[in-house]
């Protein structure tokens, strides 16, 4: 056994050539990284993907392929598309909260008397925030 | 040529068996869908992924694999990890905007005289919003 072989060549039980396409991105001390990528994409597809990129972008490509493979192993149905849906929902929620808060400011500006009496006691109270926003929604 | 073959079997130039693993998810009228998936994952990896899932989840899995393959073809370096970073940055930006707007409400509640004179003219003016928020940030 050659201790200098990269994680990919070890996994594939082959000699690690000096110009190995995997070697710079799959060091022998992290065998899991190549195992995950191999399980989802297969060695030849990863090699093809890396080969078509300029050298200075291959580390980022190997990292993103590894992340996508991890997501797919954790969630075989949705992979990282599941995370994308979750983040889009989160953006929608925060944008909605922002619109409600901005509506609240506009209402207070137009009706200072209506809110004056409760204002100091209720700022930071979510139920007041919801109530004020419901006047517009 | 058998016109009943699915897009995968057409692409792979093989007979489409009655129990074809690809057939329900890669109809012959959408050859691009299988071509993209094949380019990134390879046919045998997609077949393995689908086979390990219960029947009722395979459509969602084929859809998400197709989406991920499309992202990777469009952005060979970052794939859909690039989109995830973008969405995370977007959430960060909207959350920051929300915190600033909430700080503005709190300030107006505590200092009604300080903002009263400009309030009605400046609501909805982004520079006023930024100015009010800058008192806290």
């Amino acid at each position: 056994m050659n201790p200098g072989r990269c994680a990919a060549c070890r996994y594939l039980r082959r000699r690690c050539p000096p110009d190995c396409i995997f070697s710079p991105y799959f060091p022998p001390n992290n065998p899991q990284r190549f195992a995950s990528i191999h399980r989802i994409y297969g060695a030849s597809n990863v090699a093809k993907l890396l080969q078509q990129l300029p050298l200075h972008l291959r580390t980022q490509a190997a990292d993103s392929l590894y992340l996508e493979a991890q997501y797919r192993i954790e969630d075989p149905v949705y992979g990282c598309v599941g995370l994308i849906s979750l983040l889009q929902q989160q953006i929608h929620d925060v944008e909605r909260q922002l619109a409600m808060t901005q509506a609240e400011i506009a209402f207070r500006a137009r009706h200072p008397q209506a809110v004056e009496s409760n204002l100091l006691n209720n700022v930071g109270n979510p139920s007041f925030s919801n109530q004020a926003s419901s006047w517009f929604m």
Side-chain angles (χ1 to χ4, degrees), chain A residues 48-62:
Chain A
K48 261 191 286 181
L49 275 160
L50 292 175
Q51 262 154 353
Q52 75 187 6
L53 293 172
L55 273 171
H56 71 281
L57 293 173
R58 291 183 185 176
T59 302
Q60 293 93 312

Side-chain angles (χ1 to χ4, degrees), chain A residues 83-99:
Chain A
L83 178 60
I84 288 172
S85 304
L86 204 75
L87 292 173
Q88 282 171 333
Q89 183 56 49
Q90 214 173 320
I91 289 173
H92 176 81
D93 292 346
V94 185
E95 278 177 344
R96 192 171 159 274
Q97 214 182 330
L98 179 63

Side-chain angles (χ1 to χ4, degrees), chain A residues 4-75:
Chain A
R5 287 188 305 173
C6 74
C9 291
R10 279 185 189 207
Y11 188 94
L12 301 168
R13 298 177 184 212
R14 64 175 206 178
R15 193 177 61 83
C16 191
D19 60 346
C20 175
I21 182 77
F22 299 118
S23 173
Y25 321 108
F26 299 98
N29 61 358
N30 190 354
Q32 187 52 48
R33 185 171 152 97
F34 186 77
S36 297
I37 272 192
H38 182 265
R39 184 168 155 192
I40 301 301
Y41 298 97
S44 65
N45 289 310
V46 175
K48 261 191 286 181
L49 275 160
L50 292 175
Q51 262 154 353
Q52 75 187 6
L53 293 172
L55 273 171
H56 71 281
L57 293 173
R58 291 183 185 176
T59 302
Q60 293 93 312
D63 287 347
S64 70
L65 286 166
Y66 171 60
L67 272 174
E68 280 185 39
Q70 284 296 103
Y71 284 126
R72 179 64 59 181
I73 289 166
E74 281 164 30
D75 181 353

